């Protein structure tokens, strides 16, 4: 039973435009959320995170928004660059008492020149 | 200066064989993990060791046995390989159980 879902397997965006990646979760106990980025033949690398006490966290071109009532988070990349072409995984955990990260299936982003 | 390294990168083997995948981290982290990425691309935790002690042991067949000789290494031994074991296996490490996890490049296992 997948508790973290990324319903869009792929996203194509023009260079310079905004990329919006979506993630939904079912476990209301999740209180910490992360985004990882993965290039082919490499492991996932940490991108940005957000605690459930916040609704927005920004780091350069990357912003994560959290809507707890909807159990939904999104990652915005502005402006998108060719180097952003990768697979993006959403992950969540119950930080207070659970060491396990639950991952979504990933969204493949392709940034077109 | 690879932070988390795995060997081998690719592993092709026959059903019924026994194989090991090695993982090493040079970050000085206390916690290490093994994940399996299945055909549906989900990353699922298999095991976690904290200071060489097994912390997480998900519902994994007992043909899979992790071994942590020291804090910098967490190896995965698989007995009697089955077709369904074909997947990409990722090792990861973190400073402690609550900190950000750093992943290795993955080992692509194909069982024929």
């Amino acid at each position: 039973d997948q508790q973290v879902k990324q319903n869009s397997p792929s996203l194509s965006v023009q260079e310079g435009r905004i990329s919006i990646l979506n993630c939904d979760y079912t476990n209301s106990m999740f209180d910490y959320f992360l985004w990882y980025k993965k290039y082919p033949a490499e492991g996932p690398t940490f991108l940005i995170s957000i605690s459930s006490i916040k609704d927005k966290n920004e780091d350069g071109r990357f912003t994560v928004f959290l809507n707890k009532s909807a159990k939904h988070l999104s990652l915005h990349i502005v402006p998108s660059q060719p180097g952003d072409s990768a697979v993006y995984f959403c992950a969540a955990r119950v930080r207070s008492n659970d060491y396990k990260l639950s991952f979504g299936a990933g969204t493949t982003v392709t940034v077109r020149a | 200066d690879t932070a988390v390294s795995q060997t081998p990168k690719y592993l092709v083997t026959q059903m019924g064989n026994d194989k090991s995948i090695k993982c090493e981290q040079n970050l000085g982290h206390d916690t290490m993990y093994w994940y399996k990425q299945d055909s549906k691309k989900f990353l699922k935790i298999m095991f976690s060791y904290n200071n060489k002690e097994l912390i997480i042991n998900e519902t994994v067949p007992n043909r899979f046995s992790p071994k942590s000789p020291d804090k910098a290494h967490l190896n995965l031994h698989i007995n009697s390989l089955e077709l369904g074991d074909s997947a990409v296996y990722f090792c990861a490490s973190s400073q402690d159980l609550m900190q950000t996890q750093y992943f290795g490049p993955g080992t692509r296992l194909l069982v024929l």
Side-chain angles (χ1 to χ4, degrees):
Chain A
D1 180 32
Q2 290 303 128
Q3 299 183 75
V4 178
K5 297 176 184 178
Q6 295 176 255
N7 292 320
S8 297
S10 63
L11 172 70
S12 180
V13 65
Q14 188 97 30
E15 182 178 1
R17 299 289 183 102
I18 183 171
S19 295
I20 300 177
L21 291 80
N22 293 305
C23 177
D24 297 294
Y25 60 94
T26 57
N27 187 345
S28 57
M29 298 296 291
F30 285 146
D31 57 7
Y32 192 66
F33 305 88
L34 307 92
W35 285 93
Y36 278 82
K37 177 179 179 179
K38 184 184 178 305
Y39 291 118
E42 294 184 13
T45 55
F46 170 73
L47 192 58
I48 192 169
S49 63
I50 187 167
S51 164
S52 60
I53 61 172
K54 294 186 173 182
D55 54 21
K56 177 182 173 181
N57 188 25
E58 195 171 348
D59 183 2
R61 296 185 297 112
F62 302 91
T63 303
V64 56
F65 295 92
L66 176 62
N67 182 336
K68 288 189 292 293
S69 59
K71 295 195 185 71
H72 176 85
L73 64 155
S74 61
L75 174 69
H76 291 209
I77 308 173
V78 184
S80 299
Q81 298 174 354
D84 296 330
S85 296
V87 179
Y88 291 79
F89 290 97
C90 174
R93 76 190 321 171
V94 181
R95 203 172 192 187
S96 53
N97 66 356
D98 189 348
Y99 311 127
K100 295 177 288 190
L101 276 177
S102 295
F103 281 86
T107 296
T108 300
V109 172
T110 303
V111 179
R112 308 185 310 271
Chain B
D1 267 22
T2 308
V4 182
S5 59
Q6 295 178 228
T7 52
K9 272 198 160 180
Y10 299 94
L11 185 52
V12 181
T13 187
Q14 300 287 332
M15 262 175 43
N17 283 351
D18 302 339
K19 290 292 177 187
S20 290
I21 307 172
K22 296 187 176 181
C23 177
E24 176 180 1
Q25 53 96 3
N26 62 7
L27 297 166
H29 288 167
D30 287 342
T31 310
M32 296 185 73
Y33 312 80
W34 276 109
Y35 285 85
K36 179 181 180 181
Q37 185 179 30
D38 60 24
S39 56
K40 294 183 180 176
K41 304 303 180 186
F42 288 106
L43 274 157
K44 293 185 179 174
I45 184 77
M46 299 173 69
F47 302 102
S48 173
Y49 271 72
N50 188 51
N51 279 318
K52 294 172 54 182
E53 181 184 344
L54 182 64
I55 297 296
I56 298 172
N57 185 354
E58 288 297 281
T59 310
V60 176
N62 56 16
R63 298 181 294 104
F64 290 78
S65 53
K67 285 186 173 54
S68 182
D70 54 57
K71 285 199 310 184
H73 296 85
L74 181 62
N75 303 323
L76 183 65
H77 189 76
I78 315 170
N79 288 327
S80 303
L81 278 155
E82 299 177 358
L83 294 176
D85 297 333
S86 296
V88 183
Y89 292 84
F90 288 98
C91 177
S93 73
S94 60
Q95 184 60 57
D96 58 47
L97 286 159
M98 289 299 161
Q99 300 305 316
T100 300
Q101 295 178 23
Y102 294 82
F103 284 80
T107 294
R108 285 139 192 86
L109 171 64
L110 178 60
V111 182
L112 303 174

